[in-house]
C-alpha cells in the first residue's frame, strides 16, 4: 500500500518513497529510540549535535533525528543519486532542510567528521538470500539497499574501519538483521580502536536484536 501511495509514515511523520529507496519499516524505529535515549542521558536534546547517516535512502532516520533534536545538524550519504533526491525532498517536507546536507558517498569513503553520532541501516541481506525474500521486499525495494555481500556483513566492516576516526567521541548505532548482532558487535570491537566499553544491543518489538551500538572516546 505504501508503494501505491508513494509515502510511508515513520515515527509520527510522513516520508515520500520511490523505487530508489527502501520502504521504512517499524523495526527501524528501534534505532531512533536508542539514539534519542542516549541524547537524553548525555545532556539532553537541546544541544548541538552532528549526525551522519550512512546509506540514508529516504532520509527517514536522519530527518527523524533532526526533528527530535532541534539543535542538531546532519549529513546523509548514499551511493544512489536518485535516493538522495528523495531524501532532500523529505527534509523539506519535514522542515529540517536547513540543518541537513546530502552527499554521494560509499560507506565512509571521503568522510572526515568529526561527528557526535553515526547511524546506519545498511544493506545486510546475504547475496544468496536476496532472491528468497518475500515479494513485497524483493520486487520493490532496491537491490542496492538489500544486498550486503556474501555474508551480509560487508558494509559493517567498511563502516567499522573508519568509524572511530569519524566519530572520535560519541555514539555509533547500526541496524542489523536477525541473527547478526553478535557478528556486528565483534566487527565493531575488533576495528574501533577508540571504543569505550563494549557494544550493546536493543531488540525490536518482535524480540529480535535489531540495533547494535557502541560508544567512542578519545
Amino acid at each position: 500500500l505504501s508503494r501505491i501511495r508513494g509515502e510511508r509514515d515513520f515515527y509520527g511523520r510522513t516520508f515520500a518513497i520511490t523505487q530508489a529507496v527502501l520502504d521504512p519499516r517499524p523495526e527501524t524505529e528501534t534505532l531512533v529510540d536508542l539514539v534519542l535515549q542516549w541524547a537524553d542521558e548525555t545532556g539532553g536534546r537541546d544541544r548541538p549535535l552532528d549526525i551522519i547517516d550512512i546509506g540514508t535512502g529516504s532520509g527517514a532516520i536522519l530527518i527523524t533525528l533532526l526533528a527530535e533534536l532541534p539543535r542538531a545538524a546532519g549529513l546523509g550519504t548514499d551511493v544512489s543519486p536518485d535516493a538522495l533526491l528523495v531524501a532532500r525532498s523529505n527534509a523539506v517536507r519535514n522542515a529540517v532542510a536547513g540543518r541537513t546536507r546530502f552527499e554521494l558517498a560509499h560507506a565512509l569513503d571521503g568522510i572526515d567528521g568529526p561527528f557526535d553520532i553515526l547511524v546506519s541501516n545498511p544493506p545486510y541481506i546475504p547475496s544468496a538470500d536476496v532472491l528468497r525474500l518475500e515479494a513485497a521486499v524483493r520486487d520493490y525495494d532496491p537491490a542496492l539497499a538489500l544486498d550486503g555481500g556474501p555474508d551480509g556483513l560487508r558494509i559493517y566492516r567498511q563502516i567499522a574501519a573508519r568509524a572511530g576516526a569519524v566519530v572520535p567521541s560519541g555514539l555509533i548505532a547500526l541496524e542489523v538483521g536477525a541473527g547478526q548482532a553478535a557478528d556486528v558487535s565483534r566487527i565493531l570491537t575488533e576495528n574501533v580502536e577508540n571504543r569505550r566499553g563494549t557494544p550493546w544491543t536493543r531488540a525490536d518489538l518482535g524480540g529480535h536484536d535489531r540495533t547494535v551500538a557502541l560508544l567512542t572516546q578519545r
Side-chain angles (χ1 to χ4, degrees):
L1 181 59
S2 60
R3 290 293 183 185
I4 295 171
R5 294 172 57 218
E7 60 184 26
R8 164 73 79 171
D9 289 342
F10 179 84
Y11 218 87
R13 297 174 180 85
T14 302
F15 293 84
I17 60 171
T18 72
Q19 62 184 6
V21 302
L22 280 178
D23 185 350
R25 291 172 173 82
E27 293 88 347
T28 301
E29 295 185 357
T30 304
L31 175 61
V32 174
D33 283 336
L34 186 148
V35 174
L36 293 178
Q37 181 180 349
W38 176 82
D40 289 336
E41 293 175 350
T42 57
R45 301 189 186 191
D46 292 317
R47 60 191 174 106
L49 291 166
D50 289 318
I51 305 170
I52 181 168
D53 178 17
I54 305 300
T56 196
S58 67
I61 296 171
L62 178 61
I63 291 165
T64 298
L65 289 173
L66 295 183
E68 297 288 335
L69 301 166
R71 296 186 63 198
L75 168 64
T77 69
D78 207 287
V79 296
S80 166
D82 291 336
L84 293 176
L85 290 174
V86 178
R88 289 188 181 100
S89 71
N90 279 323
V92 173
R93 181 175 191 165
N94 287 279
V96 298
R99 294 184 283 127
T100 316
R101 64 191 193 280
F102 296 97
E103 294 181 8
L104 192 67
H106 174 76
L108 289 171
D109 293 349
I111 305 297
D112 294 323
F115 293 91
D116 302 296
I117 301 169
L118 183 154
V119 293
S120 183
N121 177 17
Y124 55 65
I125 307 299
S127 300
D129 293 345
V130 171
L131 293 179
R132 293 195 285 268
L133 294 171
E134 62 182 35
V137 177
R138 181 191 66 234
D139 295 343
Y140 296 97
D141 281 335
L144 272 176
L146 298 173
D147 190 340
D151 62 357
L153 303 173
R154 178 179 57 202
I155 304 300
Y156 297 107
R157 295 188 182 95
Q158 294 170 351
I159 290 174
R162 296 202 60 241
V166 173
V167 186
S169 295
L171 174 70
I172 298 166
L174 309 172
E175 179 168 328
V176 300
Q180 292 180 327
D183 287 330
V184 173
S185 295
R186 175 181 51 79
I187 290 169
L188 293 176
T189 298
E190 293 176 353
N191 291 278
V192 181
E193 294 181 359
N194 55 319
R195 63 183 173 87
R196 178 161 63 90
T198 58
W200 75 96
T201 62
R202 173 167 291 191
D204 60 23
L205 293 178
H208 300 290
D209 284 335
R210 186 59 61 181
T211 299
V212 174
L214 178 68
L215 297 177
T216 60
Q217 186 172 24
R218 284 278 171 85

